[in-house]
Structures are given as structure tokens and as C-alpha cells.
Amino acid sequence: MLALPAHDPSLLAGGTSGPRALRPLLDTVLGALAEGAAARCGPLPAGGPERVRDRLAEAAPGPALPAHGAGAAPALHQLVRALAEGAADPADPHCAAHLHCPPLAVAVAADLAASALNPSLDSWDQAPAASELEDRISRELAALVHPAGPEPHALITTGGTESNLLGTLLAREHLAGTADRPLRVICGANAHHSVHRAAWLLGLPAPQVLPTPAGVLDPAAVRDALLGLDALACVATGPAPALVVATAGTTDSGAIDPLPALADTVAAARHGGRPVGLHVDAAYGGPLLLSPTHRHRLAGLDRADTVGLDLHKLGWQPVAAGVLTVPDAAALAPLGQRADYLNAEDDTEAGLPDLLGRSPRTTRRPDVLKIAVTLRALGRTGLAALVDRVCAAAAEFAALVAAEPGLELHSRPTISTVLFRPAGATDAQVAAVRRRLLVDGRAVLGRATVRRPLGGAPALWLKATLLNPHVHPSDLAALIKLVLDQHDGTDGAPGTDVTTQRDPGDDHQ
Ligand SMILES: *Cc1c(COP(=O)(O)O)cnc(C)c1O
């Protein structure tokens, strides 16, 4: 093999010679990933933001855009190694703060092909096979969610945020809100912040937020809120249109709103003549559908008008892999757009698929490829096994916490999130434990301010979101020991900077 071409950083990734240009660079990348992970030696780099800044400056000194290039291999090696060394790596069993999954190797390999081929899903002439694949996979994923729908279909999104925005947009368009009688969004205090952002971006009134003291939406409160909208409606214009947004898998605790009762509430209001929609934000919980063991928790999901689910959470995809499903493809019509250079009417009439209505974005990555490869590689049983494993790991972790007198368990996990705290700790101590583990590079745990299941004031909890299907029981026990040691080590020990400094904004987000 000729050694020379690999060093020319202007070589292209496509065509028959692309793979030849890529192969040596991939070796460089894989080597740098391995070296960086070994240098980090843990779930995240030790030393906090300052140390990370210094290490990055050392690894890649000088200007980002030097006068003369360093060449492909050196640039790749330097920066990939530095990023890996400074990564919070969700493949480490002690990196468990967020809905930040360790991606499957097979999905990452597929994503490389997506980058190399670079199809753009805004017109058929940029993505002939990719657009066909997206259509097929979207329909099949949507049929999982809405098996009885007339023509289930889905959009591939960047994630829950975009899915919530599009679900709200479709409701606004279908429910005929007007300037003097806009769509009212009703959601729980447990809803994701992006629901509020969606209303704001779409120029709608701020959502009506219902308290969720039990952690989930109360259907009776939703019914009352819908009835309460009448006070706002004027006789001439009829009842105000509304969108109920429920959550299947809250970000803080993984709780699932009572979907069947909420669907009943929405159906009753509709029956009473009110234009109401139901959007379910199942960004986290949606993939439970893949598991025969856990699927029943999503009963009622099929009755929603729109459902968002993320495969970059319980789906082990690299970001981004969001999906917004509808029971009937016709519901997506409001997103249609014309731009002569992308979907001229005569081209569409002549049979070229019109893709512009499949996203509010224009240039768009084929995120569907990694999803399609993963579905095919693992199949239903393979994916169900991964879902079941992380749910089992969470149950096991919760059992270990419950058996440990030094810790308090919030509740049995619904999906794979476990909230716990050192027994008797103050909120400031809980926050300090989390921060110290982060800064020392020993564990990445999340935080959530929620009430105890039996009520009382909200308290700060440590959050373990278990998304690593290969986590071992001994990893879970070690994580518990890290928290206990950290708490014992800092409890009442003045002079340790992080514990004694209380950040006033810290305890209540
Ligand atoms: C993660 C999450 C979101 C946001 O999704 P992104 O993929 O980050 O845009 C929205 N809602 C819920 C319930 C989530 O868990």
C-alpha cells in the first residue's frame, strides 16, 4: 500500500478511493481513543475545569488555525487523544449522571459511514437510498408506538427537545389556535424544560404547569385545567384549543405519567367539543416498548397524537437519534414546504420523493443509518435484552442502597434511574459529595431536587442513571462505597474547600 496519500489532509472520504484514504486515519483515531482512555483511567478527568483547560492547551498548543497545517495524522492524534483523555465516558460504569448513554460500537461504525457518504436528507437527489431507508425505518418505529394507527409514520429528530417542539407545532397547526385564542399547553411540574422552550419558540402562552407532588401528572388536575380554560374562552370563538403534554420517563426520576387515564381525560374533553391534543414526551421511556418485560408500563402510549422518543438514551445510539411518531402520516402535512431547488412541483409530480416536509431543518444528517444498522444487528430480542439489563441493574443498585444504613433510597426505580442520598445529610452536603466525586474524577452522578414519596419538603438527591448494559454488580457496590467514603470523609470536616463552600443557587434548580 502507498503510504503517501494518507498524509495528504485534503483527500476525500467518498468514492472507491475514500476507504483507502480513511483506513490509516482510522488506525490513528482508534489508537488515540485507546491512549486517551488509558491516560484518563476513570469515568472523567480528575482536577476539574482548570486542569482540563490546562491539559487541552498542552495537548494542542498554538492557534486553532495555524498558518501551515500539521497534517492529518498528527492533528487527529493530538485532538482525539486530548478529547478522549478529557471525556466523561458513559462506557465507564461510574459515569451515570445523565441520560447520556454509552453508544454501541456497531452504531458508531455505521455513523462513520453516514459521515463518509454524507447524504443530506432535504432532497432525493442528495440521498436516494438514505431517504428510502429513513422512510422504511420511520414507518416501522412508528408502528411499534401506534400499532393500530391508520398509517403510522415518524420524523427523525435531534432528540426530545426537537420532538417536543414539533409535537407542539403540529398541535398548534391542527387545533386551529388563533392570535386571540392561542393553543394552551398544559403540562406537569415534572415535564422537561424543553416543553416550556417549545411554547416560547412557537409564540404560545407559557404552559400551564400542574403541580406533581406524587412525581406524576394527576389526570383529575388535567381535567380541571381543561375545564378552567373555559374561563379564558369567549363565547364567540368557542373553547380554547389545548395540548396536554405527558411524560413517559421523567428526566429527574424516570417516573411515567398515568398514560391510560390521561388519554381518557383528553378523549372525554374532545368528546365535549374541545380541541385537545395529547403529546407524550417518551424521550427516556419510549424504548421500553422494545422489551416484552417492561412494555406494559407504556400502556396508553398508542393513544397519543404525537410521541417523542430518543434512541440516544435507551437505544445506545451516538447523538443524535430522536424520533417523533404519529399514528397517521397525514398529521405531518403542516410541515410541508416548497423550494424549487429541492422539491420543484414538476419533479414531485414526476415521482421524485419530496423530503422537505420531514424536518424543519434543511441540510440533515442520515441519523437513520446507525438506527437501522442497530435494529438489524440486535433484533428485537437483542434490544430487549439491553433494556432489561439496565432496568435490572437499577433495581439491583436500589436494593444495595436500601440495604445500606448510611444511605436513604428515594424509591424503587421505574426505569433505570435511582435517587438516593447519604442518610441525614443536608442538601449542601449532598451537593458537595457529588461535586467532589466529579472534581476527583472518580464518579459522575447527577442531582435532582424532589420530594420524598410520602411528601415533605423537596430535598436534593444524588441521581444514578444506569444506561450501561455491561455494568457489573461489583461496579454498583463500588459506586456505593465511593459515595459513603466521600460523605464520611467530608462530613463536618472544615477546611475542605468544596464542602464548606455553599453555592446558594445549588440546592434548588
Ligand atoms: C432527554 C430528554 C429530553 C430532551 O431530549 P434531547 O434529546 O436532549 O433533546 C426531553 N424530555 C425528556 C423526558 C428527556 O429525558
Side-chain angles (χ1 to χ4, degrees):
M1 190 170 44
L2 286 173
L4 194 61
H7 299 290
D8 177 355
S10 73
L11 289 180
L12 303 180
T16 53
S17 61
R20 211 164 352 121
L22 269 174
R23 193 179 300 275
L25 298 178
L26 284 185
D27 283 342
T28 304
V29 166
L30 299 179
L33 285 174
E35 280 177 34
R40 183 185 66 241
C41 189
L44 82 163
E50 264 175 46
R51 174 90 184 121
V52 168
R53 195 175 306 130
D54 292 348
R55 284 293 297 147
L56 200 62
E58 280 168 34
L65 179 62
H68 302 287
L76 264 175
H77 185 267
Q78 262 184 355
L79 286 172
V80 173
R81 189 188 183 285
L83 222 66
E85 182 182 339
D89 183 358
D92 186 291
H94 291 167
C95 184
H98 298 282
L99 287 160
H100 171 208
C101 77
L104 295 169
V106 66
V108 171
D111 219 19
L112 172 73
S115 288
L117 294 166
N118 207 27
S120 179
L121 286 157
D122 45 328
S123 65
W124 189 86
D125 58 3
Q126 298 175 86
S131 59
E132 176 61 22
L133 184 68
E134 186 182 80
D135 190 69
R136 279 174 52 179
I137 300 297
S138 304
R139 288 179 188 275
E140 205 169 311
L141 287 171
L144 272 180
V145 181
H146 313 276
E151 190 192 348
H153 211 334
L155 303 178
I156 304 298
T157 69
T158 56
T161 302
E162 191 188 5
S163 296
N164 286 338
L165 178 66
L166 291 176
T168 309
L169 172 66
L170 290 175
R172 187 191 74 182
E173 297 302 298
H174 288 299
L175 300 175
T178 57
D180 58 339
R181 199 195 51 162
L183 179 77
R184 305 301 303 238
V185 175
I186 297 171
C187 67
N190 63 356
H192 194 258
H193 63 82
S194 60
V195 174
H196 298 257
R197 196 179 269 189
W200 173 70
L201 283 167
L202 293 169
L204 300 172
Q208 183 174 347
V209 179
L210 306 178
T212 50
V216 292
L217 257 180
D218 172 7
V222 171
R223 188 200 52 211
D224 292 348
L226 287 169
L227 290 173
L229 293 178
D230 284 343
L232 303 167
C234 87
V235 184
T237 55
L243 176 68
V244 175
V245 177
T247 310
T250 61
T251 311
D252 274 353
S253 71
I256 299 174
D257 285 339
L259 303 177
L262 290 167
D264 287 345
T265 303
V266 167
R270 250 181 219 162
H271 193 68
R274 184 183 304 283
V276 198
L278 176 63
H279 171 71
V280 179
D281 176 359
Y284 177 15
L288 292 180
L289 281 174
L290 297 164
S291 159
T293 313
H294 296 287
R295 181 158 50 213
H296 66 276
R297 294 164 192 233
L298 296 181
L301 187 66
D302 56 322
R303 295 169 65 191
D305 299 295
T306 45
V307 173
L309 64 93
D310 281 358
L311 293 170
H312 56 244
K313 291 172 181 172
L314 279 182
W316 298 281
Q317 298 301 297
V319 171
V323 182
L324 178 79
T325 67
V326 291
D328 188 353
L332 300 173
L335 292 169
Q337 279 284 329
R338 280 275 165 214
D340 199 59
Y341 76 110
L342 294 171
N343 60 353
E345 249 174 271
D346 54 312
D347 275 350
T348 305
E349 273 163 28
L352 292 187
D354 169 1
L355 309 183
L356 211 46
R358 300 209 26 89
S359 175
R361 288 173 278 158
T362 307
T363 301
R364 191 157 65 81
R365 264 177 75 76
D367 287 320
V368 72
L369 177 59
K370 64 199 172 196
I371 297 173
V373 168
T374 301
L375 299 181
R376 197 167 188 83
L378 280 88
R380 280 175 183 265
T381 53
L383 283 162
L386 296 186
V387 169
D388 292 353
R389 272 199 241 163
V390 296
C391 292
E396 193 163 335
F397 186 69
L400 289 174
V401 169
E404 171 51 61
L407 296 175
E408 178 184 355
L409 175 68
H410 179 270
S411 52
R412 301 267 157 215
T414 309
I415 307 178
S416 68
T417 300
V418 181
L419 299 181
F420 66 109
R421 67 204 310 278
T426 62
D427 283 359
Q429 286 169 328
V430 173
V433 166
R434 186 187 92 92
R435 237 171 354 248
R436 178 50 82 187
L437 290 170
L438 267 185
V439 171
D440 289 350
R442 283 188 287 166
V444 193
L445 288 171
R447 50 183 288 161
T449 300
V450 297
R451 290 173 207 279
R452 288 181 172 79
L454 295 177
L460 185 65
W461 301 81
L462 296 172
K463 177 171 83 164
T465 310
L466 298 171
L467 290 181
N468 185 335
H470 302 297
V471 70
H472 195 270
S474 63
D475 299 321
L476 300 175
L479 184 54
I480 284 177
K481 184 163 183 329
L482 276 176
V483 170
L484 285 171
D485 289 352
Q486 192 56 58
H487 182 58
D488 292 346
T490 57
D491 199 22
T496 49
D497 53 344
V498 178
T499 48
T500 50
Q501 265 175 27
R502 181 167 165 175
D503 175 354
D506 230 37
D507 292 343
H508 302 283
Q509 295 165 312

